[in-house]
Amino acid sequence: METKEVCIDFRTHNTIITPIIIKGQPIEQVTTYKYLGITIQSDLRWTSHISTQCKKASAWLYYLRKLRQFHVDRHLQELFFIATIDSLLLFGMTVWGGRCTARDRNNISRVQRIADKIMNTTVQPWGVSHRQRTIMRAKKIIREPLHPLHYTFQRLPSYRRYRALKAKNNRLRQTFVPSAITH
């Protein structure tokens, strides 16, 4: 098994990062790394992950077209779409959904629009799915006191809302916890 290192550094001045050496062998430094099915970039952008997933999902559109050609029931076409294309596109959405660029959102929407036309129906837009999944994940974390993020969801004295985290930059503001609290 090969070991790789991704350096995530947001300092404004360029610094030379010395490679880690294990048993006399330097560890290879990479800019992207696939971990648990999600491609992580060193700048914490998700363009690489989203473009890869959109390409995979576009390949599955061929089979959706074939189902339509064979006059398969629309309900089964929708099930196929949800099980293959939608699950590919939206996997790990609570992690990357708040930080994707307009171009990334357009790529996802393009694949969904093509599927809409093939099935002659409307697919739930990815933004709606992102909001629903974020809220669902946050509720799960709130119910589980042993979850590592449980302490970040603190109720205000009124008990109507949760305390928002103070974020100095968009990189933090667009992550899961702040976006879950504001939804």
Side-chain angles (χ1 to χ4, degrees), residues 45-124:
R45 296 189 192 279
W46 304 100
T47 305
S48 172
H49 173 74
I50 293 170
S51 63
T52 303
Q53 297 304 92
C54 285
K55 285 177 189 174
K56 288 178 184 178
S58 294
W60 281 101
L61 289 173
Y62 167 80
Y63 298 106
L64 190 60
R65 285 186 186 97
K66 286 297 180 187
L67 289 175
R68 183 174 164 214
Q69 280 180 349
F70 296 140
H71 303 291
V72 173
D73 183 48
R74 185 179 297 157
H75 178 69
L76 291 175
Q77 290 177 27
E78 289 175 9
L79 285 175
F80 177 81
F81 168 79
I82 291 168
T84 57
I85 299 167
D86 210 33
S87 64
L88 257 176
L89 285 176
L90 307 181
F91 176 72
M93 176 186 271
T94 54
V95 174
W96 55 260
R99 289 274 302 145
C100 64
T101 63
R103 183 177 177 193
D104 295 337
R105 289 190 295 267
N106 288 340
N107 285 342
I108 295 168
S109 297
R110 180 186 54 80
V111 174
Q112 288 183 325
R113 278 194 311 274
I114 293 170
D116 275 349
K117 290 177 184 176
I118 293 169
M119 295 184 300
N120 198 21
T121 185
T122 55
V123 174
Q124 185 178 43

Coordinates of all heavy atoms in Angstrom, one line a residue, residues 45-124:
R45 N -11.2 22.7 -2.4 CA -12.2 22.9 -3.5 C -12.7 21.5 -3.9 O -12.0 20.5 -3.7 CB -11.7 23.7 -4.6 CG -11.3 25.1 -4.2 CD -11.0 26.0 -5.4 NE -10.4 27.2 -5.0 CZ -11.0 28.3 -4.5 NH1 -12.3 28.2 -4.4 NH2 -10.4 29.3 -4.2
W46 N -13.8 21.4 -4.5 CA -14.4 20.1 -4.8 C -14.6 19.9 -6.3 O -15.3 19.0 -6.7 CB -15.7 20.0 -4.1 CG -15.6 20.2 -2.6 CD1 -15.8 21.3 -1.9 CD2 -15.0 19.2 -1.7 NE1 -15.5 21.1 -0.6 CE2 -15.0 19.8 -0.4 CE3 -14.5 17.9 -1.8 CZ2 -14.5 19.2 0.7 CZ3 -14.0 17.3 -0.7 CH2 -14.0 17.9 0.5
T47 N -13.9 20.8 -7.1 CA -14.1 20.7 -8.6 C -13.7 19.3 -9.1 O -14.4 18.8 -10.0 CB -13.3 21.8 -9.2 OG1 -13.7 23.1 -8.7 CG2 -13.5 21.9 -10.7
S48 N -12.6 18.8 -8.7 CA -12.1 17.5 -9.1 C -13.1 16.4 -8.8 O -13.4 15.6 -9.7 CB -10.8 17.2 -8.5 OG -10.4 15.9 -8.8
H49 N -13.6 16.4 -7.6 CA -14.6 15.4 -7.2 C -15.9 15.5 -8.0 O -16.4 14.5 -8.6 CB -15.0 15.5 -5.7 CG -16.1 14.7 -5.3 ND1 -15.9 13.3 -5.1 CD2 -17.4 15.0 -5.0 CE1 -17.1 12.8 -4.7 NE2 -18.0 13.8 -4.6
I50 N -16.4 16.7 -8.2 CA -17.7 16.9 -8.9 C -17.6 16.6 -10.3 O -18.4 16.0 -10.9 CB -18.2 18.4 -8.6 CG1 -18.6 18.5 -7.1 CG2 -19.4 18.7 -9.5 CD1 -18.9 19.9 -6.7
S51 N -16.5 17.0 -11.0 CA -16.3 16.7 -12.4 C -16.2 15.2 -12.6 O -16.8 14.7 -13.6 CB -15.1 17.5 -13.0 OG -13.9 17.1 -12.4
T52 N -15.5 14.5 -11.8 CA -15.4 13.1 -11.9 C -16.8 12.4 -11.7 O -17.1 11.5 -12.5 CB -14.4 12.5 -10.8 OG1 -13.2 13.1 -11.0 CG2 -14.3 11.0 -11.0
Q53 N -17.5 12.8 -10.7 CA -18.8 12.3 -10.5 C -19.8 12.6 -11.6 O -20.6 11.7 -12.0 CB -19.4 12.7 -9.2 CG -18.6 12.3 -8.0 CD -18.4 10.8 -7.9 OE1 -17.4 10.3 -8.4 NE2 -19.3 10.1 -7.3
C54 N -19.7 13.8 -12.2 CA -20.6 14.2 -13.3 C -20.3 13.3 -14.5 O -21.2 12.9 -15.3 CB -20.5 15.6 -13.6 SG -21.3 16.7 -12.5
K55 N -19.0 13.0 -14.8 CA -18.6 12.2 -15.9 C -19.2 10.8 -15.7 O -19.7 10.2 -16.7 CB -17.1 12.1 -16.1 CG -16.5 13.3 -16.6 CD -15.0 13.2 -16.7 CE -14.4 14.6 -17.1 NZ -12.9 14.5 -17.0
K56 N -19.1 10.2 -14.5 CA -19.6 8.9 -14.2 C -21.1 8.9 -14.4 O -21.7 7.9 -15.0 CB -19.2 8.4 -12.8 CG -17.8 8.1 -12.6 CD -17.6 7.7 -11.2 CE -16.1 7.4 -10.9 NZ -15.9 7.1 -9.5
A57 N -21.8 9.9 -13.9 CA -23.2 10.0 -14.0 C -23.7 10.1 -15.5 O -24.7 9.6 -15.9 CB -23.8 11.1 -13.2
S58 N -22.9 10.9 -16.2 CA -23.3 11.1 -17.7 C -23.2 9.7 -18.4 O -24.0 9.5 -19.3 CB -22.3 12.1 -18.3 OG -22.5 13.3 -17.8
A59 N -22.2 8.9 -18.0 CA -22.2 7.6 -18.6 C -23.4 6.7 -18.3 O -23.9 6.0 -19.2 CB -20.9 6.8 -18.1
W60 N -24.0 6.9 -17.1 CA -25.2 6.2 -16.8 C -26.4 6.7 -17.5 O -27.4 6.0 -17.6 CB -25.4 6.2 -15.3 CG -24.6 5.3 -14.5 CD1 -23.4 5.5 -13.8 CD2 -24.8 3.9 -14.3 NE1 -22.9 4.4 -13.3 CE2 -23.7 3.4 -13.6 CE3 -25.7 3.0 -14.8 CZ2 -23.6 2.0 -13.2 CZ3 -25.6 1.6 -14.5 CH2 -24.6 1.2 -13.7
L61 N -26.4 7.9 -18.0 CA -27.5 8.4 -18.8 C -27.8 7.6 -20.0 O -28.9 7.5 -20.5 CB -27.2 9.9 -19.2 CG -27.3 10.9 -18.1 CD1 -26.8 12.3 -18.6 CD2 -28.6 11.0 -17.5
Y62 N -26.8 6.9 -20.6 CA -27.0 6.0 -21.7 C -28.0 4.9 -21.4 O -28.9 4.6 -22.2 CB -25.6 5.4 -22.1 CG -25.8 4.2 -23.1 CD1 -25.9 4.5 -24.5 CD2 -25.7 2.9 -22.7 CE1 -26.1 3.4 -25.3 CE2 -25.8 1.9 -23.5 CZ -26.0 2.1 -24.9 OH -26.2 1.1 -25.7
Y63 N -27.8 4.3 -20.2 CA -28.7 3.3 -19.8 C -30.1 3.8 -19.5 O -31.1 3.1 -19.8 CB -28.2 2.5 -18.6 CG -26.8 1.9 -18.9 CD1 -25.7 2.4 -18.4 CD2 -26.8 0.7 -19.7 CE1 -24.4 1.8 -18.7 CE2 -25.6 0.1 -20.0 CZ -24.4 0.7 -19.5 OH -23.2 0.1 -19.8
L64 N -30.2 5.0 -19.0 CA -31.5 5.6 -18.8 C -32.2 5.8 -20.2 O -33.4 5.6 -20.3 CB -31.4 7.0 -18.1 CG -32.6 7.6 -17.6 CD1 -33.3 6.7 -16.6 CD2 -32.3 8.9 -16.9
R65 N -31.5 6.2 -21.2 CA -32.0 6.4 -22.5 C -32.5 5.1 -23.0 O -33.6 5.0 -23.7 CB -31.0 7.0 -23.5 CG -30.7 8.4 -23.3 CD -29.8 9.0 -24.4 NE -29.5 10.3 -24.1 CZ -28.3 10.7 -23.5 NH1 -27.4 9.8 -23.1 NH2 -28.1 12.0 -23.3
K66 N -31.8 4.0 -22.8 CA -32.2 2.7 -23.3 C -33.4 2.2 -22.6 O -34.3 1.6 -23.2 CB -31.0 1.6 -23.0 CG -29.9 1.8 -23.9 CD -30.3 1.5 -25.3 CE -29.2 1.6 -26.3 NZ -29.7 1.5 -27.7
L67 N -33.6 2.5 -21.3 CA -34.8 2.2 -20.6 C -36.0 2.9 -21.2 O -37.1 2.3 -21.4 CB -34.7 2.5 -19.1 CG -33.8 1.7 -18.2 CD1 -33.7 2.3 -16.8 CD2 -34.2 0.2 -18.2
R68 N -35.8 4.1 -21.6 CA -36.9 4.9 -22.2 C -37.2 4.3 -23.6 O -38.4 4.1 -24.0 CB -36.5 6.3 -22.4 CG -37.6 7.2 -23.0 CD -37.3 8.6 -23.0 NE -38.2 9.3 -23.9 CZ -37.8 10.3 -24.6 NH1 -36.6 10.9 -24.5 NH2 -38.6 10.9 -25.4
Q69 N -36.2 3.9 -24.4 CA -36.4 3.3 -25.7 C -37.1 2.0 -25.6 O -37.9 1.7 -26.5 CB -35.0 3.0 -26.4 CG -34.4 4.2 -27.0 CD -33.0 3.8 -27.7 OE1 -32.5 2.7 -27.5 NE2 -32.5 4.7 -28.4
F70 N -36.9 1.2 -24.5 CA -37.6 0.0 -24.4 C -39.0 0.1 -23.7 O -39.6 -0.8 -23.3 CB -36.8 -1.0 -23.5 CG -35.5 -1.4 -24.2 CD1 -34.3 -1.5 -23.5 CD2 -35.4 -1.7 -25.6 CE1 -33.1 -1.9 -24.0 CE2 -34.2 -2.0 -26.2 CZ -33.1 -2.1 -25.4
H71 N -39.4 1.4 -23.6 CA -40.7 1.7 -23.0 C -40.9 1.2 -21.6 O -42.0 0.7 -21.2 CB -41.9 1.3 -23.9 CG -41.8 1.8 -25.3 ND1 -41.9 3.2 -25.6 CD2 -41.4 1.2 -26.5 CE1 -41.8 3.4 -26.9 NE2 -41.4 2.2 -27.5
V72 N -39.9 1.3 -20.8 CA -40.0 0.8 -19.4 C -40.8 1.9 -18.6 O -40.7 3.1 -18.9 CB -38.5 0.7 -18.8 CG1 -38.6 0.4 -17.3 CG2 -37.8 -0.4 -19.5
D73 N -41.6 1.4 -17.7 CA -42.4 2.3 -16.9 C -41.6 3.5 -16.3 O -40.5 3.3 -15.9 CB -43.1 1.5 -15.8 CG -44.0 2.3 -14.9 OD1 -44.9 3.0 -15.5 OD2 -43.9 2.3 -13.7
R74 N -42.2 4.7 -16.3 CA -41.5 5.9 -15.9 C -41.1 5.8 -14.4 O -40.1 6.3 -14.0 CB -42.4 7.1 -16.0 CG -41.7 8.4 -15.6 CD -42.5 9.6 -15.8 NE -42.9 9.8 -17.2 CZ -43.9 10.5 -17.6 NH1 -44.7 11.1 -16.8 NH2 -44.1 10.6 -18.9
H75 N -41.9 5.1 -13.6 CA -41.6 4.9 -12.2 C -40.3 4.1 -12.0 O -39.4 4.5 -11.2 CB -42.7 4.2 -11.4 CG -42.4 3.9 -10.0 ND1 -42.3 4.9 -9.1 CD2 -42.2 2.8 -9.4 CE1 -42.0 4.4 -7.9 NE2 -41.9 3.1 -8.1
L76 N -40.1 3.1 -12.9 CA -38.9 2.3 -12.8 C -37.7 3.1 -13.3 O -36.6 3.0 -12.8 CB -39.0 1.0 -13.7 CG -40.0 0.0 -13.1 CD1 -40.2 -1.2 -14.0 CD2 -39.5 -0.5 -11.7
Q77 N -37.9 4.0 -14.3 CA -36.9 4.9 -14.8 C -36.4 5.8 -13.7 O -35.2 6.1 -13.5 CB -37.4 5.7 -16.0 CG -37.6 4.9 -17.3 CD -38.1 5.8 -18.4 OE1 -37.9 7.0 -18.4 NE2 -38.8 5.2 -19.3
E78 N -37.4 6.3 -12.9 CA -37.1 7.2 -11.8 C -36.3 6.5 -10.7 O -35.3 7.0 -10.2 CB -38.3 7.9 -11.2 CG -39.0 8.9 -12.1 CD -40.3 9.4 -11.6 OE1 -40.7 9.1 -10.5 OE2 -41.0 10.1 -12.4
L79 N -36.7 5.3 -10.4 CA -35.9 4.4 -9.5 C -34.5 4.2 -9.9 O -33.6 4.3 -9.1 CB -36.6 3.1 -9.2 CG -37.9 3.1 -8.4 CD1 -38.6 1.8 -8.3 CD2 -37.6 3.6 -7.0
F80 N -34.4 3.9 -11.2 CA -33.0 3.7 -11.8 C -32.2 5.0 -11.6 O -31.0 5.0 -11.3 CB -33.1 3.3 -13.3 CG -31.8 3.2 -13.9 CD1 -31.0 2.0 -13.8 CD2 -31.3 4.2 -14.7 CE1 -29.8 1.9 -14.4 CE2 -30.0 4.1 -15.3 CZ -29.3 2.9 -15.1
F81 N -32.8 6.1 -11.9 CA -32.1 7.4 -11.8 C -31.7 7.7 -10.4 O -30.5 8.0 -10.2 CB -33.0 8.6 -12.3 CG -32.5 9.9 -12.0 CD1 -31.5 10.5 -12.7 CD2 -33.0 10.6 -10.9 CE1 -31.0 11.7 -12.4 CE2 -32.5 11.9 -10.6 CZ -31.5 12.4 -11.3
I82 N -32.5 7.5 -9.4 CA -32.2 7.7 -8.0 C -31.1 6.8 -7.6 O -30.2 7.2 -6.9 CB -33.5 7.6 -7.2 CG1 -34.4 8.7 -7.4 CG2 -33.1 7.5 -5.7 CD1 -35.8 8.6 -6.9
A83 N -31.2 5.5 -8.0 CA -30.3 4.5 -7.5 C -28.9 4.6 -8.1 O -27.9 4.3 -7.5 CB -30.8 3.1 -7.8
T84 N -28.8 5.1 -9.3 CA -27.5 5.2 -10.0 C -27.0 6.6 -10.2 O -26.0 7.0 -9.5 CB -27.6 4.5 -11.4 OG1 -28.6 5.1 -12.2 CG2 -27.8 3.0 -11.3
I85 N -27.7 7.4 -10.9 CA -27.2 8.7 -11.3 C -27.2 9.7 -10.1 O -26.2 10.4 -9.8 CB -28.0 9.3 -12.5 CG1 -27.8 8.3 -13.7 CG2 -27.6 10.7 -12.9 CD1 -28.8 8.5 -14.9
D86 N -28.4 9.8 -9.5 CA -28.5 10.8 -8.4 C -27.6 10.4 -7.2 O -27.0 11.3 -6.6 CB -30.0 10.8 -7.9 CG -30.4 12.1 -7.4 OD1 -29.9 13.2 -7.9 OD2 -31.3 12.2 -6.5
S87 N -27.5 9.1 -6.9 CA -26.6 8.7 -5.8 C -25.2 9.0 -6.1 O -24.4 9.4 -5.2 CB -26.8 7.2 -5.5 OG -26.4 6.4 -6.5
L88 N -24.8 8.9 -7.4 CA -23.4 9.2 -7.8 C -23.2 10.7 -7.7 O -22.1 11.1 -7.1 CB -23.2 8.8 -9.3 CG -22.4 7.6 -9.6 CD1 -22.4 7.3 -11.1 CD2 -21.0 7.7 -9.0
L89 N -24.1 11.5 -8.2 CA -23.9 13.0 -8.2 C -23.9 13.5 -6.8 O -23.1 14.4 -6.5 CB -25.1 13.6 -9.0 CG -25.0 13.5 -10.5 CD1 -26.3 14.2 -11.0 CD2 -23.8 14.2 -11.0
L90 N -24.8 13.0 -5.9 CA -25.0 13.7 -4.6 C -24.3 13.0 -3.4 O -24.5 13.4 -2.3 CB -26.5 13.8 -4.4 CG -27.3 14.5 -5.5 CD1 -28.7 14.5 -5.1 CD2 -26.7 15.8 -5.8
F91 N -23.4 12.0 -3.7 CA -22.7 11.3 -2.6 C -21.8 12.3 -1.9 O -21.0 13.0 -2.5 CB -21.9 10.1 -3.2 CG -21.1 9.5 -2.2 CD1 -21.7 8.6 -1.2 CD2 -19.7 9.6 -2.1 CE1 -20.9 8.0 -0.3 CE2 -18.9 9.0 -1.2 CZ -19.5 8.2 -0.2
G92 N -22.0 12.3 -0.6 CA -21.1 13.2 0.3 C -21.5 14.6 0.2 O -20.7 15.5 0.5
M93 N -22.7 14.9 -0.3 CA -23.1 16.3 -0.5 C -23.0 17.2 0.7 O -22.7 18.4 0.6 CB -24.6 16.3 -1.0 CG -25.1 17.7 -1.2 SD -26.8 17.6 -1.7 CE -26.7 17.5 -3.4
T94 N -23.3 16.6 1.9 CA -23.2 17.5 3.1 C -21.8 18.0 3.3 O -21.6 19.0 4.0 CB -23.7 16.7 4.3 OG1 -23.0 15.5 4.5 CG2 -25.2 16.5 4.2
V95 N -20.8 17.3 2.8 CA -19.4 17.7 2.9 C -19.1 18.8 1.9 O -18.5 19.8 2.3 CB -18.4 16.5 2.7 CG1 -17.0 16.9 2.7 CG2 -18.7 15.4 3.7
W96 N -19.4 18.6 0.7 CA -18.9 19.5 -0.4 C -20.0 20.5 -0.9 O -19.7 21.4 -1.6 CB -18.3 18.8 -1.6 CG -19.2 17.7 -2.2 CD1 -19.2 16.4 -2.0 CD2 -20.3 17.9 -3.1 NE1 -20.1 15.8 -2.7 CE2 -20.8 16.7 -3.4 CE3 -20.8 19.1 -3.7 CZ2 -21.9 16.5 -4.3 CZ3 -21.9 18.9 -4.6 CH2 -22.4 17.7 -4.9
G97 N -21.2 20.3 -0.5 CA -22.3 21.1 -1.1 C -22.3 22.6 -0.9 O -22.6 23.3 -1.8
G98 N -21.8 23.0 0.2 CA -21.7 24.4 0.5 C -20.6 25.1 -0.2 O -20.6 26.3 -0.3
R99 N -19.5 24.4 -0.5 CA -18.3 25.0 -1.0 C -18.1 24.8 -2.6 O -17.1 25.1 -3.1 CB -17.1 24.4 -0.4 CG -16.9 24.7 1.1 CD -16.1 26.0 1.3 NE -14.8 25.9 0.7 CZ -14.2 27.0 0.2 NH1 -14.8 28.1 0.1 NH2 -13.0 26.9 -0.4
C100 N -19.1 24.3 -3.3 CA -18.9 24.1 -4.7 C -19.1 25.4 -5.5 O -19.9 26.3 -5.0 CB -19.7 23.0 -5.2 SG -21.5 23.2 -5.2
T101 N -18.4 25.5 -6.6 CA -18.5 26.8 -7.3 C -19.7 26.8 -8.2 O -20.4 25.8 -8.4 CB -17.2 26.9 -8.2 OG1 -17.2 25.8 -9.2 CG2 -15.9 26.9 -7.4
A102 N -20.0 27.9 -8.9 CA -21.1 28.0 -9.8 C -20.9 27.1 -10.9 O -21.9 26.5 -11.4 CB -21.2 29.5 -10.3
R103 N -19.7 26.9 -11.4 CA -19.4 26.0 -12.5 C -19.8 24.5 -12.1 O -20.4 23.8 -12.9 CB -18.0 26.1 -12.9 CG -17.6 25.3 -14.1 CD -16.1 25.5 -14.4 NE -15.7 24.7 -15.5 CZ -14.5 24.5 -15.9 NH1 -13.5 25.1 -15.3 NH2 -14.2 23.7 -16.9
D104 N -19.4 24.2 -10.9 CA -19.7 22.8 -10.4 C -21.2 22.6 -10.3 O -21.7 21.6 -10.6 CB -19.1 22.6 -9.0 CG -17.6 22.6 -9.0 OD1 -17.0 22.4 -10.1 OD2 -16.9 22.9 -8.0
R105 N -21.9 23.6 -9.8 CA -23.4 23.5 -9.6 C -24.0 23.4 -11.0 O -25.0 22.6 -11.2 CB -23.9 24.8 -8.9 CG -23.6 24.8 -7.4 CD -24.4 25.9 -6.7 NE -24.0 27.2 -7.1 CZ -23.1 28.0 -6.5 NH1 -22.4 27.5 -5.5 NH2 -22.8 29.2 -7.0
N106 N -23.5 24.1 -12.0 CA -24.0 24.0 -13.4 C -23.8 22.6 -13.9 O -24.6 22.1 -14.7 CB -23.4 25.1 -14.3 CG -23.9 26.5 -14.0 OD1 -24.9 26.6 -13.4 ND2 -23.1 27.5 -14.3
N107 N -22.6 22.0 -13.7 CA -22.3 20.7 -14.2 C -23.3 19.7 -13.6 O -23.8 18.8 -14.3 CB -20.9 20.3 -13.8 CG -19.9 20.9 -14.7 OD1 -20.2 21.4 -15.7 ND2 -18.6 20.9 -14.2
I108 N -23.6 19.8 -12.3 CA -24.6 18.9 -11.7 C -25.9 19.1 -12.3 O -26.7 18.2 -12.6 CB -24.6 19.0 -10.1 CG1 -23.2 18.6 -9.5 CG2 -25.7 18.2 -9.5 CD1 -23.1 19.1 -8.1
S109 N -26.3 20.4 -12.4 CA -27.6 20.7 -12.9 C -27.8 20.2 -14.3 O -28.9 19.8 -14.8 CB -27.9 22.2 -12.8 OG -27.9 22.6 -11.5
R110 N -26.7 20.3 -15.1 CA -26.8 19.9 -16.5 C -27.1 18.4 -16.6 O -28.0 18.0 -17.4 CB -25.4 20.2 -17.2 CG -25.4 19.7 -18.7 CD -24.0 19.9 -19.3 NE -23.0 19.2 -18.5 CZ -22.7 17.9 -18.6 NH1 -23.4 17.1 -19.3 NH2 -21.7 17.4 -17.9
V111 N -26.4 17.6 -15.8 CA -26.7 16.1 -15.8 C -28.2 15.9 -15.4 O -28.9 15.1 -16.0 CB -25.7 15.4 -14.9 CG1 -26.1 13.9 -14.8 CG2 -24.3 15.5 -15.4
Q112 N -28.6 16.6 -14.4 CA -30.0 16.5 -13.9 C -31.0 16.9 -15.0 O -32.1 16.3 -15.1 CB -30.2 17.2 -12.6 CG -29.5 16.6 -11.4 CD -29.8 17.3 -10.1 OE1 -29.9 18.5 -10.1 NE2 -29.9 16.6 -9.1
R113 N -30.7 18.0 -15.7 CA -31.6 18.4 -16.8 C -31.7 17.4 -17.9 O -32.8 17.2 -18.4 CB -31.2 19.8 -17.3 CG -31.6 21.0 -16.5 CD -31.4 22.3 -17.3 NE -30.1 22.4 -17.9 CZ -29.0 22.9 -17.3 NH1 -29.1 23.3 -16.0 NH2 -27.9 23.0 -17.9
I114 N -30.6 16.8 -18.2 CA -30.6 15.8 -19.3 C -31.5 14.6 -18.8 O -32.3 14.1 -19.6 CB -29.2 15.3 -19.6 CG1 -28.4 16.5 -20.3 CG2 -29.2 14.1 -20.5 CD1 -26.9 16.2 -20.5
A115 N -31.3 14.2 -17.6 CA -32.1 13.1 -17.0 C -33.6 13.5 -17.0 O -34.5 12.7 -17.3 CB -31.7 12.7 -15.6
D116 N -33.9 14.8 -16.7 CA -35.3 15.3 -16.8 C -35.9 15.0 -18.1 O -37.0 14.5 -18.3 CB -35.3 16.8 -16.5 CG -35.4 17.1 -15.0 OD1 -35.6 16.2 -14.2 OD2 -35.2 18.3 -14.7
K117 N -35.1 15.4 -19.2 CA -35.6 15.3 -20.5 C -35.8 13.9 -21.0 O -36.8 13.5 -21.6 CB -34.7 16.0 -21.5 CG -34.7 17.5 -21.3 CD -33.7 18.2 -22.2 CE -33.7 19.7 -22.0 NZ -32.7 20.4 -22.8
I118 N -34.9 13.0 -20.6 CA -35.0 11.6 -20.9 C -36.2 11.0 -20.3 O -37.0 10.3 -21.0 CB -33.7 10.8 -20.5 CG1 -32.5 11.3 -21.3 CG2 -33.9 9.3 -20.6 CD1 -31.2 10.8 -20.8
M119 N -36.4 11.2 -19.0 CA -37.6 10.6 -18.3 C -38.9 11.4 -18.5 O -39.9 10.9 -18.1 CB -37.2 10.5 -16.8 CG -36.1 9.6 -16.5 SD -35.8 9.4 -14.7 CE -35.5 11.1 -14.2
N120 N -38.8 12.6 -19.0 CA -40.0 13.5 -19.2 C -40.6 13.7 -17.9 O -41.9 13.6 -17.7 CB -40.9 12.8 -20.2 CG -41.9 13.9 -20.7 OD1 -41.6 15.1 -20.7 ND2 -43.0 13.4 -21.3
T121 N -39.8 14.1 -16.9 CA -40.3 14.4 -15.5 C -39.4 15.4 -14.9 O -38.4 15.8 -15.5 CB -40.4 13.1 -14.7 OG1 -40.9 13.4 -13.4 CG2 -39.0 12.5 -14.4
T122 N -39.7 15.8 -13.7 CA -38.8 16.8 -13.0 C -38.1 16.1 -11.9 O -38.7 15.4 -11.1 CB -39.6 18.0 -12.5 OG1 -40.6 17.5 -11.6 CG2 -40.2 18.8 -13.6
V123 N -36.8 16.3 -11.9 CA -35.9 15.8 -10.8 C -35.7 16.9 -9.8 O -35.6 18.1 -10.1 CB -34.6 15.4 -11.4 CG1 -33.6 14.9 -10.3 CG2 -34.7 14.3 -12.4
Q124 N -35.7 16.5 -8.5 CA -35.5 17.5 -7.5 C -34.1 18.1 -7.7 O -33.1 17.5 -7.8 CB -35.5 16.8 -6.1 CG -35.4 17.7 -4.9 CD -35.5 16.9 -3.6 OE1 -34.9 15.9 -3.5 NE2 -36.3 17.5 -2.7

